[in-house]
Amino acid sequence: MWKSGFKWMFLIIGTTIGAGYASGRELWEFFGHGSGLAIMLFVIFFSVSCYVIMSISYHKQSTEYRPVLQVIVGDKISPIYDVMIFLYLYTTTVVMMSGSGAAGQAFNLPYWVGIVFIVVMLVLLFFRDISGLLSFNQVILPILIIGLLYVLFTFTFDQRLHLFSHWHEQFNWTAAFPFTALNVLPLIAVLGAVGNKMTSKKEIWIASLGSGVILGVVTYVYNNSLIQISEQILLYEIPLFAILSNYPFYMVIFMTILLWFAIFTTAASGVLGLTTRLTGYFKLPFWLLVLVILATMIPLTTLGFSTLISILYPLYGLLNLYVLTRLLLYPLWVKRDK
C-alpha cells in the first residue's frame, strides 16, 4: 500500500514540477506578493483533484485518459477537452525541451545540445514502456525535492527572511484557481494512463494527500524567496539562478542538474500521455512512437523558454477552470446524476 502510494505520489509530483515550476518562472507568473492564502487553497484543491482523478481511473481501470475525461466533463464536451489535453501535453513538452536547452546554456553549451540530449534520454527511458518512468521517478524525485528545499531554506536563513512576514497580504488569493487548473489537466492524462495498475483506495489517499502537502511546502518557501528578489527576476531567464547568484559555482551546477531532472520528469509524463493516446492509431513500438512525437516538437523550441511559459501557462490555467470546478464538485454532481 505505502510503496504503491509513494509510486503514484512521485508520478504526480514529477508531472507537476517541471521546467516552469522548478525554475520559479511558473510560480512567479501566478503568485508573488499576497499569495500565502492562494498557496494554501492550492494544496486543498490539488489534493482533492488528484483523489478524484485517481478514483475514477481506478474504477475504470483505464490505460489512457479518454475514459477518465468523459466521466469528469461529460460525453458531449469531452472531445473538445480531448483536443485541449493533447495540445496541452504537446506544447508543455515543447516547453520542457526548451527548458533543457536553457539549462544547457548554464554550462556554456549550445541551446540545441540540451534539446537533443533530452530527446535521446526520453527515447531510452521508454524502452521499458511505462515501468521505466515509474522506476526513474522513485529514484530521482526525492533527491530533487530535498535539493530544492535545501537551496531555498539556505537562502532563507542566509538572508534572514521570515516565512510569514507577508502573511497579512492576501490580495492574490484567487490565483489558486488558475494555478491548480493549469496543473490538474496533465494529471488527467498521466493518471488516466495507469488506472489499471492501481490496486486499492488507500494508495490513492497516500498519493493525493502526500503530493499536495509536499508541493504546498515547496511552493510557499519558493514563493517567499522569489518575493525578496523580485527586482532581479526580470534579468534572469530562470529565476532560480537569481537566488543562486551569490552562491558558489558548484551549487549552481548542482541545481542546474536537478533543474534538468525536473524538466525531464515532466517531459516524460507529457510524452506518456501523448503516446498512450496515440498507440491505438499507430502500430509502432512504444519507444519509436515517442521518437516520432519528439521529432515533430524540435522546430517549436526556437520560441524560447520564458516566452512559452508567460503566454501558454496563464492561458491554459483559465481554459481549464471548468475541469477544476467539475473535480472539486465531483461528489455533488455524481449524487445528482444518480
Side-chain angles (χ1 to χ4, degrees):
M1 176 186 72
W2 285 98
K3 183 178 180 181
S4 296
F6 285 131
K7 178 170 63 178
W8 307 130
M9 182 182 76
F10 288 132
L11 178 62
I12 292 168
I13 295 173
T15 303
T16 307
I17 298 187
Y21 186 104
S23 69
R25 178 61 60 181
E26 178 185 337
L27 297 180
W28 192 246
E29 289 292 336
F30 285 92
F31 295 129
H33 295 278
S35 299
L37 179 58
I39 294 170
M40 287 187 63
L41 291 173
F42 159 68
V43 172
I44 298 170
F45 295 163
F46 188 84
S47 296
V48 171
S49 298
C50 287
Y51 180 80
V52 172
I53 295 168
M54 293 183 74
S55 296
I56 297 171
S57 301
Y58 171 64
H59 177 71
K60 291 287 185 179
Q61 289 292 289
S62 56
T63 57
E64 54 123 333
Y65 65 77
R66 279 182 300 174
V68 179
L69 183 64
Q70 288 170 356
V71 174
I72 294 172
V73 300
D75 293 334
K76 291 183 179 179
I77 64 172
S78 64
I80 298 173
Y81 274 94
D82 181 16
V83 174
M84 270 188 59
I85 287 181
F86 190 89
L87 291 176
Y88 176 90
L89 294 174
Y90 192 91
T91 53
T92 50
T93 304
V94 172
V95 171
M96 298 307 116
M97 293 169 66
S98 297
S100 180
Q105 288 177 323
F107 295 96
N108 295 319
L109 296 173
Y111 186 73
W112 63 268
V113 171
I115 293 172
V116 171
F117 182 69
I118 195 172
V119 169
V120 172
M121 295 303 293
L122 284 169
V123 173
L124 293 175
L125 178 69
F126 283 105
F127 264 109
R128 290 181 56 197
D129 205 355
I130 297 174
S131 59
L133 172 60
L134 296 176
S135 300
F136 179 83
N137 279 344
Q138 292 180 76
V139 173
I140 204 64
L141 279 168
I143 300 173
L144 170 62
I145 294 165
I146 293 170
L148 188 56
L149 284 174
Y150 171 76
V151 169
L152 294 174
F153 277 117
T154 299
F155 180 78
T156 299
F157 292 131
D158 288 348
Q159 300 295 319
R160 298 182 180 179
L161 306 180
H162 297 286
L163 288 176
F164 302 101
S165 59
H166 297 275
W167 189 252
H168 60 285
E169 303 172 0
Q170 302 298 347
F171 55 85
N172 193 38
W173 64 272
T174 54
F177 293 93
F179 183 74
T180 310
L182 170 71
N183 286 289
V184 296
L185 196 66
L187 290 176
I188 295 175
V190 173
L191 296 175
V194 295
N196 64 328
K197 299 183 183 300
M198 300 177 193
T199 57
S200 72
K201 282 291 186 74
K202 291 180 180 179
E203 63 194 63
I204 295 175
W205 277 108
I206 294 169
S208 55
L209 291 176
S211 58
V213 171
I214 290 173
L215 288 172
V217 171
V218 174
T219 301
Y220 187 88
V221 179
Y222 209 152
N223 186 66
N224 191 65
S225 299
L226 292 175
I227 289 173
Q228 312 306 318
I229 57 166
S230 57
E231 295 179 356
Q232 303 175 44
I233 289 179
L234 292 175
L235 304 176
Y236 288 83
E237 180 90 351
I238 296 177
L240 178 62
F241 291 157
I243 294 176
L244 295 169
S245 59
N246 295 321
Y247 287 94
F249 185 63
Y250 73 84
M251 186 173 286
V252 177
I253 294 176
F254 173 69
M255 285 312 301
T256 302
I257 293 171
L258 289 185
L259 174 61
W260 186 88
F261 279 118
I263 291 168
F264 183 75
T265 56
T266 301
S269 297
V271 170
L272 171 64
L274 290 169
T275 309
T276 53
R277 176 66 180 84
L278 294 175
T279 48
Y281 299 102
F282 300 97
K283 304 301 180 182
L284 295 173
F286 203 86
W287 68 268
L288 183 57
L289 186 54
V290 168
L291 178 60
V292 172
I293 292 170
L294 292 174
T296 65
M297 297 177 179
I298 292 177
L300 296 176
T301 58
T302 56
L303 293 175
F305 173 54
S306 61
T307 303
L308 288 166
I309 292 285
S310 61
I311 295 174
L312 292 176
Y313 279 26
L315 177 62
Y316 280 128
L318 291 173
L319 291 175
N320 298 338
L321 284 174
Y322 176 72
V323 175
L324 176 62
T325 303
R326 294 282 290 186
L327 288 169
L328 295 179
L329 299 179
Y330 177 76
L332 298 179
W333 58 260
V334 166
K335 183 177 181 181
R336 184 202 64 183
D337 291 344
K338 287 182 179 180

